[in-house]
Amino acid sequence: MNLLKINLFYILLLLMSAMLIGCNTMEATGTENDKNASTSYDGETISFVVPFQAGGGTDVFARFMTPYFAKHIEGEPRVQVENIPGGASITGTNEYANSRSPNGFNILTSSASSHVPFILEQSSVDYDLDDFTPLIGAPSGGIVYTKPELAKDGMENLLSLENELYYAGISPTGLDLVTLLSFEVLEMDVKAVLGYEGRGPSRVAFEQGESNIDYQTTSAYKSNVENLVEEGNAVPLYSLGQVDQDGNLIRDPQFPELPTIEEIYIDIYGTEPSGEAWEAYKQTVAASYSLNKVIWVHKNAPNHSKKILQQGMENLIEDTSFEEESQDILEGYDAFVGEELNNQIEQSFSISPDTKKWIIEYLQLHYDIDINKL
Amino acid sequence: MIESAIEALMIVLDPSRLIYMFLGIGIGVIVGLLPGLSGTVGMSLLLPFVFGLEPYVGMALLIGMIAVIHTGDTFPSILFGIPGTSGSQATIMDGYPLTKKGGASRAMGASFFSSMIGGVIGGIALYLTIPFARPLITSFSSPELFMLTMLGLSMAGLLAGKSPIKGIISGILGLLIGAVGSAPAVPEYRYTLDTLYLTQGISLPVVAMAIFAFPILITMLTDKGSVSSHAKLQSGILKGVMDALKNKFLVFRSAVIGALIGFIPGLGGSVVDWIAYGAGQKTVKNNYFGSGDIRGVIAPESANNAKEGGSLVPTLLFGIPGSGTTAILLGGLTLMGLEAGPKMLSDDLPVTLSIVWTLVFANIFGALLCMLLVRPISKISLVPGEKIVPFLLVLLVVGAYQSTMSWGDLIVFVVIGLLGYVMTILDWPRPPLLIGFVLALPAERYYWISIERYGWEWLTNPLVIALAIIIVLLLAGGTIMKRFSKKFESKGGI
């Protein structure tokens, strides 16, 4: 009876299905690139693998960068973000390393959660960052803060407390590792309660008193903790710092007034910190914060393509509009490119066997983690 | 704040921004309507376009979409018994039986109207809680959140139907499926079969689709014939609206439940429809929930739209996303140069207020748009089953694959789908399984944190004790009422 309308409905469904399939253009353009592996980016599409769900910090970073890539890479290619979430960034990074063609049309962004498992050689890691050529890298920072009543008698008093400090964290293998190691270096007695859903919930735990020592990364600190400090409900203790090209821990350029744990250690114990815990701390700061995010291309991509991409990055950071617009996304830090980036990578990802062994044992001993099972 | 609210209204009503809101509404209705696609997919689709937009414009687009997803997702729930998104599962329970009786239009009329009112109440709730949000949110610590997950789980008992034992086993099965993947608090992987795919756990949209939609598809094929056994569709949108108006207190109650549950961070709004449904079942007199009671449609539909308003409070003010959708919204905020946090109440207050207005308008226009679509779309229920199944199957498979873009999704879809089919044949209730699945992770997380942090001390928190009493009352009340009705039935039988 209503044959016409029913047919219309079928057509509608078909169209919708077609639309959905159309959403999946990535794969198609990827294979096309494989065929004509030309060295010019003119009118081509670069597929940008982001190993996270859309909307996360790394995804936002990647999406922010894409228009600048398109503008500054010779030939003005289109850059399309492709999210491959799963396994805390390991799934997507593995896929980039093993299934994407090294033709210079596939790039990747990594973050601290792909760096630390790599330097510790977790068994699920099926990529080697040494097989990638870095294009641009960006730092981040972290600030540790506590309750005013605990801080009012100074750092010395804080270090003497026993069974009173509670820290709310997510997991000991993520960014929390750096903060936990800072407690270890300072020999602070902190009970770490792990399992929170994210840094937002752990900050709320601090506000309601469930924890009393916490850290936030730079932008979250500025937008959500600075007002607590002004209201007198939080006091910053130290920044996790940055590791410079020579491997020294330096103050965070965003928080020049806050000391590093090295300064605090010298102040209290009278000597410079040393030993494996200290080495491990500096190593994880370098791999998690000083190089918080890095964008890469396969090392065996055509040399010409790599040159164009690298040149594009150097043009990009000269761009004044990038400098202005990137304040929020890069949290006010300067991005690394060229030689500087290579030095920083060398500094961050080459770990001494002793330090690695110490971190693995530390995780095993304190948090019952077998790195070979992750 | 009223002055700024009026200012924000002017901003929202600017024609150049209104267009974006309507665009958002259109996309939201389509995404909701297609089974398998949820808010997360809609957000990921829109995110690339948000970059660099003025915040008001971008927010009109994103919030316009979020607001109406739970309006549009009612179509497949009522017409086929397939949840349009995981937020409208409970609508199936009575909506689908109504369709079978030829009352699809009436059910949809009632549901869209309830969605509209619920959504508006959610928007108002967002506006009203803004000044109190901070003290309210910080009053929930881990022990209280744990007890709230227990309260949610005890709802599984209410939804068990005739056999409580089957309900409990089904709920436990859900907890088990929810335990797959990395444990929330201990560094451990469970039942991952050494695959990287399973380390992230099984995704909710896949489970929700599989457990409800898969069995329906099989039944459609085996039964032949169209969904609606009545050849003629009764036109009943207005009748449905009247039904909703008659039950205005139920609409209001459910909306409040929805907004409250959305508001509590970490609980996950995915069970809100079931909780509203269970609460409705408990409080509505002379009900026949489960066999085509219009009130069984009204309760969850009002709640799931109201939830969005509630869940924006922790998202905007604390940067704590309550769902996958709001998690991506946070990314969208950053791309537009905003940062979730207390600044949303001071410097960025106009943006926050514009979100409230958008929520209200989008809910109204979204519901009206859906009502216009009822007539053409409900004709689908007259199409013979074997002709429609292939299309639905394609949509569902694409939807399932969309959730993490991995082949594992398809395998899980089929395996859980078969489990769902077996459960339908054996007449085991499936809602408790879903509740167990959704609450498995938060329940474990907050239990672990409570013990780690407070030992057993937390058991004496006044709020914990109060929640425990409510749970006991709920469970005991259920059995007492069931026993009572059994007596009644057996007497009637004689």
Side-chain angles (χ1 to χ4, degrees):
Chain A
M1 25 138 232
N2 250 322
L3 221 63
L4 213 140
K5 285 213 172 141
I6 290 168
N7 275 338
L8 201 79
F9 161 70
Y10 279 140
I11 292 167
L12 203 81
L13 268 187
L14 265 175
L15 278 177
M16 281 174 176
S17 316
M19 187 187 90
L20 283 174
I21 293 161
C23 299
N24 207 359
T25 50
M26 269 335 195
E27 295 294 334
T29 45
T31 47
E32 213 172 273
N33 287 337
D34 291 346
K35 276 179 224 148
N36 47 18
S38 65
T39 43
S40 154
Y41 284 97
D42 217 353
E44 296 284 348
T45 302
I46 295 179
S47 169
F48 190 178
V49 172
V50 176
F52 289 94
Q53 191 74 261
T58 308
D59 178 64
V60 166
F61 164 73
R63 283 174 198 274
F64 171 78
M65 299 301 270
T66 50
Y68 293 99
F69 283 7
K71 188 170 154 199
H72 291 288
I73 294 170
E74 195 190 319
E76 302 192 0
R78 291 201 314 142
V79 183
Q80 232 170 335
V81 168
E82 181 180 4
N83 299 92
I84 310 177
S89 86
I90 293 176
T91 311
T93 314
N94 281 344
E95 176 159 342
Y96 176 80
N98 303 314
S99 320
R100 294 297 148 121
S101 159
N103 55 7
F105 291 97
N106 289 297
I107 57 175
L108 166 83
T109 179
S110 66
S111 83
S113 57
S114 2
H115 301 162
V116 175
F118 168 72
I119 62 171
L120 296 182
E121 291 181 41
Q122 267 183 29
S123 57
S124 54
V125 169
D126 208 6
Y127 53 83
D128 187 343
L129 293 178
D130 295 332
D131 289 343
F132 303 154
T133 300
L135 298 174
I136 188 166
S140 179
I143 286 80
V144 175
Y145 55 95
T146 187
K147 296 274 180 194
E149 57 270 24
L150 292 171
K152 68 173 191 289
D153 295 325
M155 203 63 204
E156 202 139 352
N157 177 55
L158 207 62
L159 297 186
S160 68
L161 292 176
E162 272 174 43
N163 300 325
E164 271 185 59
L165 293 174
Y166 289 93
Y167 170 76
I170 305 161
S171 116
T173 50
L175 277 181
D176 285 312
L177 177 61
V178 182
T179 316
L180 294 172
L181 286 174
S182 79
F183 299 151
E184 186 76 17
V185 171
L186 290 173
E187 296 167 37
M188 211 189 292
D189 180 34
V190 180
K191 162 100 176 145
V193 180
L194 301 166
Y196 284 85
E197 219 180 336
R199 291 250 52 92
S202 71
R203 192 186 61 245
V204 171
F206 174 85
E207 283 186 49
Q208 67 194 183
E210 201 162 282
S211 77
N212 48 24
I213 187 162
D214 189 40
Y215 93 94
Q216 293 289 328
T217 54
T218 303
S219 62
Y221 181 85
K222 285 184 175 169
S223 59
N224 282 300
V225 184
E226 264 175 5
N227 68 301
L228 293 179
V229 174
E230 277 162 28
E231 290 164 10
N233 290 319
V235 173
L237 291 175
Y238 52 86
S239 74
L240 295 171
Q242 298 289 339
V243 170
D244 69 9
Q245 310 246 336
D246 306 317
N248 299 317
L249 188 73
I250 52 169
R251 287 191 179 198
D252 193 309
Q254 293 291 309
F255 301 94
E257 72 287 357
L258 288 181
T260 64
I261 67 165
E262 186 174 23
E263 296 169 51
I264 292 178
Y265 191 94
I266 294 172
D267 206 34
I268 288 175
Y269 298 104
T271 55
E272 287 188 7
S274 60
E276 285 303 341
W278 171 240
E279 293 303 321
Y281 175 74
K282 281 195 293 182
Q283 186 76 47
T284 50
V285 167
S288 311
Y289 286 104
S290 300
L291 277 179
N292 187 254
K293 294 179 178 71
V294 182
I295 295 174
W296 313 79
V297 64
H298 294 104
K299 193 169 228 161
N300 51 356
N303 272 331
H304 185 61
S305 304
K306 286 197 288 187
K307 281 240 171 60
I308 296 178
L309 290 173
Q310 282 167 329
Q311 187 55 48
M313 298 304 133
E314 304 213 352
N315 298 345
L316 183 153
I317 57 163
E318 302 288 308
D319 184 341
T320 46
S321 79
F322 174 78
E323 209 182 318
E324 276 166 33
E325 299 285 326
S326 68
Q327 285 293 323
D328 283 344
I329 306 282
L330 298 183
E331 304 177 327
Y333 296 97
D334 291 328
F336 300 113
V337 293
E339 204 43 41
E340 206 186 357
L341 176 63
N342 289 333
N343 291 340
Q344 202 73 38
I345 296 255
E346 179 61 28
Q347 195 58 254
S348 299
F349 298 141
S350 47
I351 182 170
S352 83
D354 286 344
T355 310
K356 183 159 91 186
K357 195 164 149 256
W358 186 88
I359 298 177
I360 291 172
E361 279 171 5
Y362 167 83
L363 289 172
Q364 177 86 54
L365 186 71
H366 289 75
Y367 302 101
D368 202 18
I369 289 178
D370 186 349
I371 208 84
N372 296 316
K373 285 191 184 157
L374 290 176
Chain B
M1 206 155 117
I2 290 172
E3 244 172 67
S4 3
I6 293 168
E7 238 169 80
L9 176 64
M10 292 304 150
I11 295 174
V12 170
L13 289 180
D14 187 294
S16 66
R17 300 193 181 100
L18 268 184
I19 291 173
Y20 280 89
M21 184 174 88
F22 284 114
L23 195 66
I25 293 175
I27 294 170
V29 168
I30 293 174
V31 168
L33 195 145
L34 294 173
L37 300 193
S38 60
T40 330
V41 176
M43 287 298 275
S44 326
L45 281 176
L46 289 184
L47 200 64
F49 302 103
V50 168
F51 176 69
L53 280 184
E54 182 205 10
Y56 297 108
V57 172
M59 276 297 146
L61 185 68
L62 295 181
I63 301 290
M65 188 209 64
I66 293 180
V68 298
I69 281 184
H70 293 305
T71 312
D73 66 3
T74 312
F75 283 113
S77 305
I78 289 181
L79 287 177
F80 303 112
I82 293 172
T85 70
S86 43
S88 70
Q89 298 150 16
T91 314
I92 300 168
M93 302 299 285
D94 285 281
Y96 190 49
L98 274 166
T99 302
K100 282 186 178 161
K101 292 186 205 161
S105 300
R106 177 183 165 211
M108 287 194 270
S111 114
F112 295 140
F113 190 73
S114 317
S115 291
M116 173 158 98
I117 303 297
V120 171
I121 291 177
I124 296 171
L126 171 61
Y127 177 71
L128 291 181
T129 43
I130 283 173
F132 317 105
R134 186 158 287 268
L136 275 177
I137 285 189
T138 50
S139 66
F140 287 101
S141 59
S142 299
E144 283 89 29
L145 289 171
F146 170 69
M147 291 310 284
L148 283 169
T149 61
M150 289 295 109
L151 184 66
L153 276 177
S154 59
M155 280 289 166
L158 291 185
L159 295 162
K162 284 172 228 132
S163 163
I165 296 289
K166 282 183 184 172
I168 291 169
I169 296 178
S170 170
I172 290 174
L173 205 59
L175 284 173
L176 263 177
I177 299 175
V180 172
S182 62
V186 280
E188 212 171 67
Y189 288 120
R190 297 173 180 148
Y191 314 115
T192 53
L193 313 171
D194 280 330
T195 55
L196 203 54
Y197 168 72
L198 285 175
T199 57
Q200 288 298 82
I202 296 170
S203 76
L204 171 66
V206 177
V207 174
M209 287 303 125
I211 201 94
F212 287 106
F214 198 86
I216 289 276
L217 292 183
I218 297 178
T219 329
M220 271 189 200
L221 287 177
T222 51
D223 285 3
K224 306 234 161 121
S226 58
V227 175
S228 174
S229 50
H230 294 245
K232 263 184 105 176
L233 282 171
Q234 298 151 343
S235 58
I237 305 177
L238 265 182
K239 196 162 170 242
V241 173
M242 292 310 289
D243 281 323
L245 276 176
K246 245 184 275 165
N247 292 289
K248 49 188 176 297
F249 289 114
L250 179 63
V251 175
F252 182 74
R253 274 204 309 270
S254 308
V256 171
I257 294 177
L260 271 180
I261 292 174
F263 178 82
I264 299 166
L267 202 54
S270 319
V271 286
V272 65
D273 51 335
W274 288 117
I275 291 177
Y277 185 85
Q281 198 174 18
K282 266 272 125 113
T283 51
V284 171
K285 286 194 190 103
N286 307 324
N287 71 62
Y288 46 103
F289 272 38
S291 48
D293 190 326
I294 193 78
R295 291 162 295 187
V297 175
I298 292 172
E301 281 303 311
S302 169
N304 67 16
N305 280 59
K307 177 198 86 189
E308 297 301 335
S311 71
L312 284 173
V313 179
T315 309
L316 295 175
L317 305 189
F318 289 82
I320 307 174
S323 63
T325 319
T326 43
I328 303 180
L329 181 71
L330 277 182
L333 283 175
T334 321
L335 283 176
M336 288 183 280
L338 295 171
E339 193 76 52
K343 249 170 106 188
M344 295 300 289
L345 288 188
S346 49
D347 298 1
D348 297 326
L349 184 67
V351 179
T352 311
L353 292 172
S354 83
I355 290 173
V356 173
W357 284 114
T358 311
L359 210 54
V360 169
F361 286 127
N363 266 297
I364 295 173
F365 290 120
L368 291 177
L369 176 67
C370 285
M371 283 185 196
L372 289 177
L373 290 173
V374 165
R375 276 190 79 80
I377 290 187
S378 57
K379 292 224 170 63
I380 302 172
S381 67
L382 295 173
V383 178
E386 72 258 31
K387 284 195 183 149
I388 197 134
V389 165
F391 287 98
L392 286 175
L393 201 61
V394 168
L395 275 178
L396 288 172
V397 167
V398 172
Y401 185 67
Q402 196 78 31
S403 91
T404 64
M405 303 268 191
S406 154
W407 291 106
D409 288 331
L410 299 182
I411 298 166
V412 169
F413 180 74
V414 173
V415 171
I416 306 263
L418 287 174
L419 173 72
Y421 186 58
V422 172
M423 288 176 78
T424 7
I425 295 176
L426 298 177
D427 196 22
W428 284 46
R430 286 166 289 166
L433 184 141
L434 242 137
I435 295 187
F437 173 75
V438 171
L439 293 178
L441 224 56
E444 187 187 343
R445 177 193 315 278
Y446 296 123
Y447 179 71
W448 177 272
I449 292 177
S450 302
I451 300 270
E452 277 279 290
R453 172 65 179 86
Y454 303 102
W456 292 105
E457 224 175 277
W458 59 273
L459 284 171
T460 53
N461 281 12
L463 217 75
V464 169
I465 294 173
L467 284 166
I469 292 171
I470 295 175
I471 293 170
V472 170
L473 282 180
L474 211 68
L475 290 176
T479 26
I480 290 166
M481 265 173 69
K482 274 201 182 109
R483 200 163 289 165
F484 187 75
S485 64
K486 245 183 214 159
K487 254 186 213 159
F488 191 76
E489 266 170 37
S490 58
K491 264 183 201 162
I494 299 160

